[in-house]
Amino acid sequence: MMLLVLIAAFICFIILLGIILAAAYFTASEYPNAFQKHKDDLKPIDILNNKEINLLESSRLAPLVDLSVVVPAYNEAKRLPAMLEEAIAYLEMQTYSYEIIIVDDGSRDETVHIGQTYRKRNDNIRVISLPVNRGKGGAVRVGILASSGNRLLMVDADGATRFSDLAKLEDRVKELPSDKQGYIICGSRAHLEDDSVATRSYFRSLLMFGFHFLVGILCVPAIRDTQCGFKLFSRAAGLLCFYNLHIERWAFDVELLLIARKLSIPVVEQAVNWTEIEGSKLDPVFAALQMGRDLLFIRLRYLLGAWSIVPSRNKTE
């Protein structure tokens, strides 16, 4: 009897495994959604001239400014102004040129209006609107591919990371050897400095611990904090990684760093000051389930060949 039970359990396991593998393979999109031309509802609009942005064409252009700051924003009318004030104040003190790209991710509040208000005050600000919500990863990818900076900074709209910590990321770049593939510097909350501030609710900390455990097993074991929304890219690295990105929701950072790893792009972490800001729209339970599924599917889709990485954008453009 026990042997029959074990055999039945093994058969059930094989069937379940087959279903998971089939689901991972056959539900995978062949090409990242940003470039599926038939999807009209995914087309980004430049608010200034009310024109559609061709991401492939814009990503081919030579850089026009030194730094592009990409801010994904979904219903961030309340938190966005404080972040913009801090960013603008810091950037105006620097000697290099910059642009701030606010990517409205299908917001239903006054996020676009806030962006337009700041655009009238500062010509270095651009506002891009997505007709429907695509997720943080989709919004960041649009901003990166539409950017004109020699360096690309991804930063959250809530201002959880002190913007002046950009200087710390820039210092880490100086320590890296020159490489045509560029670099990715990840702001990190995993190894905070003594004077840093990091406060997070117990429940969210528990979920993040489990998430980081799965990340280490399935995708990128060398990175302790993949999810901090403060990352600096060279233009070459940023465009190439986001060009290959498939995941558009919360786990996109993991796929992004996995792509960088497969392309041998240097990725390093730098401790930053971070504090949890009230007003998060993240549902911890739903997000945890979605992230867990995405992590498993990221791993399986690359292993099964459902997804592949294009090592040079020139090969497909």
Side-chain angles (χ1 to χ4, degrees), residues 162 165 168 188-189 191-199 271-275:
R162 186 183 301 168
D165 280 357
K168 297 181 179 180
S188 176
R189 303 157 295 182
H191 47 292
L192 295 171
E193 298 172 341
D194 293 338
D195 59 347
S196 296
V197 178
T199 58
V272 294
N273 293 281
W274 182 91
T275 186

Side-chain angles (χ1 to χ4, degrees), residues 172-191:
R172 290 303 300 271
V173 174
K174 299 174 184 177
E175 300 173 5
L176 298 175
S178 178
D179 191 304
K180 65 178 181 179
Q181 289 282 62
Y183 55 81
I184 301 177
I185 312 296
C186 300
S188 176
R189 303 157 295 182
H191 47 292

Side-chain angles (χ1 to χ4, degrees), residues 216-289:
I217 292 178
L218 298 173
C219 299
V220 281
I223 304 298
R224 297 176 62 193
D225 184 5
T226 60
Q227 300 308 109
C228 182
F230 200 71
K231 293 182 175 68
L232 180 66
F233 308 81
S234 65
R235 184 169 182 81
L239 292 179
L240 184 56
C241 288
F242 278 97
Y243 180 86
N244 281 285
L245 186 72
H246 295 81
I247 296 293
E248 294 192 317
R249 297 288 170 179
W250 297 105
F252 83 95
D253 302 78
V254 179
E255 188 195 359
L256 186 76
L257 297 177
L258 178 62
I259 291 169
R261 180 184 178 188
K262 289 180 176 293
L263 292 172
S264 299
I265 295 174
V267 178
V268 298
E269 290 184 272
Q270 171 59 50
V272 294
N273 293 281
W274 182 91
T275 186
E276 186 173 340
I277 306 296
E278 292 184 0
S280 172
K281 288 162 284 297
L282 177 69
D283 182 331
V285 177
F286 176 76
L289 294 174

